Amino acid sequence: MSPHPILEAAVGTPNFAQIFGPVFWGFCVSLILCGVSVMQGFMYFTRYNDKLWIRLFAGGMITLDFISMALISQSMYYYMLPHFGSFAPLNAVTPELTVECLISAMLTFGSQMYFAYQLFIIRRAGILPKLANASVVILATFGLAGGIGCAVMMFMVPQEVFANRNPTFAILAGISKGFGAAADVIATIAMCLFLSAADTGVTGTSSRLRAIMHLFVNRGILVTLAQIGLLITFFATSNHLYWLAFHINTTKFYVITFFAMLNARDSIWSASGKVSRMAESTNHGVSGIRYPPREKQLDDYELDSPGFEKATIHVTTTSTTAAI
């Protein structure tokens, strides 16, 4: 009798390539994404001198990402090389993947909390902004709890993860990924709404806000699609290992987008400044109107950089204050 009846029922007479092929290609993608996160981290630490807690937070993110990649590599080695051609290793999940699952939950939560911090510093009057930020924190915390629960179940019943999946493990995984995706969706929508409310028509400020909104939207779409893809493959193809390929890459997207938000500040500042100068030049050529100095154009808008050197936008209106 086959030791993996579920896998055999899914693919008929399974072979090694059918079972581990998707995982191998997912592992190759994760190596590329790890290289991208290393490059992003190098760019950040060599270009910016942010507040100490932000630099420590970024250092923790990149360190955990390194550890995650090392644990994934060790697990791929164990499944594919010493036991090549055998399905015996699928009897249990490796301890390395168990620890990596915990690290994945921590990295996801850390990235979401930094996004919630960005949402928090956009101070806007009313109860809805507070509810939106609280919802993001609560949903992300539930996602973290689900991820920790998954790691605990993987440690307690390692033989019921790949084949003969434990129902409790499946429920906890659904909580982790479902609540994580919901937190990302709410955070992205709230950020765009708050930034839109802060736009008062000043050319330079408006172009910067639009660029920041595009960055947040792209980040939200990427990580949400990754979470949803993992959810779908985890439950719809439970007799395959497709979900594992999504799992080892989803965390990388959170790390990359975290550093992308930090590193995009100079490019946003530079690009929006060019747009502003082009608009002033065009308007001057058409109407002959001479514009006041840039400081006077901004009037009530202050470009500040408390901890985000030279690239923080502080926008003040009658109802909204945004410092990004």
Side-chain angles (χ1 to χ4, degrees):
M1 181 177 178
S2 170
H4 302 286
I6 295 181
L7 291 174
E8 185 166 348
V11 297
T13 303
N15 61 59
F16 196 76
Q18 286 176 308
I19 300 301
F20 289 102
V23 181
F24 171 77
W25 290 114
F27 173 65
C28 292
V29 173
S30 69
L31 289 174
I32 297 173
L33 295 179
C34 185
V36 174
S37 65
V38 170
M39 180 187 68
Q40 292 273 20
F42 175 80
M43 292 172 58
Y44 170 72
F45 286 108
T46 56
R47 292 184 180 183
Y48 297 95
N49 186 27
D50 289 336
K51 294 178 181 178
L52 178 61
W53 76 265
I54 296 177
R55 293 176 64 82
L56 291 175
F57 188 80
M61 292 285 286
I62 197 68
T63 300
L64 287 178
D65 189 45
F66 273 130
I67 297 174
S68 172
M69 192 69 249
L71 294 172
I72 292 172
S73 299
Q74 170 59 28
S75 297
M76 294 303 101
Y77 169 83
Y78 171 78
Y79 286 123
M80 295 183 178
L81 293 182
H83 304 280
F84 179 78
S86 172
F87 298 136
L90 291 178
N91 284 323
V93 66
T94 63
E96 290 82 4
L97 275 183
T98 301
V99 177
E100 194 279 331
C101 182
L102 178 61
I103 292 176
S104 175
M106 295 169 60
L107 285 172
T108 299
F109 182 74
S111 179
Q112 290 172 332
M113 286 300 97
Y114 182 77
F115 199 99
Y117 165 73
Q118 294 286 354
L119 193 62
F120 172 77
I121 62 177
I122 301 181
R123 296 176 293 277
R124 186 182 176 193
I127 190 65
L128 287 179
K130 296 179 182 178
L131 288 177
N133 202 47
S135 298
V136 172
V137 173
I138 293 172
L139 290 172
T141 302
F142 273 109
L144 174 64
I148 295 174
C150 283
V152 171
M153 292 303 301
M154 292 169 72
F155 175 78
M156 294 178 60
V157 286
Q159 71 279 5
E160 298 180 13
V161 174
F162 292 146
N164 303 312
R165 181 182 297 168
N166 185 282
T168 303
F169 169 73
I171 292 172
L172 290 171
I175 291 175
S176 175
K177 306 310 175 186
F179 279 95
D184 292 322
V185 170
I186 293 177
T188 302
I189 294 175
M191 180 68 77
C192 292
L193 291 176
F194 297 166
L195 290 178
S196 297
D199 189 356
T200 57
V202 176
T203 303
T205 302
S206 296
S207 58
R208 292 186 183 101
L209 290 175
R210 285 194 297 270
I212 293 170
M213 280 192 285
H214 291 161
L215 177 65
F216 285 137
V217 168
N218 290 336
R219 181 263 181 196
I221 291 175
L222 181 61
V223 296
T224 301
L225 286 179
Q227 292 277 34
I228 292 175
L230 177 53
L231 269 175
I232 292 174
T233 54
F234 185 82
F235 288 105
T237 61
S238 58
N239 294 329
H240 297 267
L241 297 181
Y242 300 147
W243 66 270
L244 190 58
F246 275 87
H247 168 74
I248 61 180
N249 286 292
T250 299
T251 305
K252 300 292 181 291
F253 288 131
Y254 277 98
V255 176
I256 290 173
T257 54
F258 166 77
F259 279 104
M261 288 191 295
L262 292 175
N263 290 328
R265 291 170 289 171
D266 276 348
S267 59
I268 290 174
W269 190 270
S270 175
S272 60
K274 292 179 182 179
V275 171
S276 178
R277 290 192 295 271
M278 289 175 62
E280 292 176 8
S281 176
T282 302
N283 289 335
H284 176 75
V286 173
S287 63
I289 298 176
R290 296 186 61 82
Y291 288 84
R294 184 169 177 271
E295 293 80 3
K296 295 183 180 180
Q297 285 188 47
L298 294 179
D299 197 12
D300 292 334
Y301 307 96
E302 176 188 0
L303 300 179
D304 197 4
S305 58
F308 288 87
E309 185 176 2
K310 193 183 71 174
T312 297
I313 304 172
H314 187 111
V315 183
T316 303
T317 68
T318 55
S319 61
T320 304
T321 299
I324 302 171

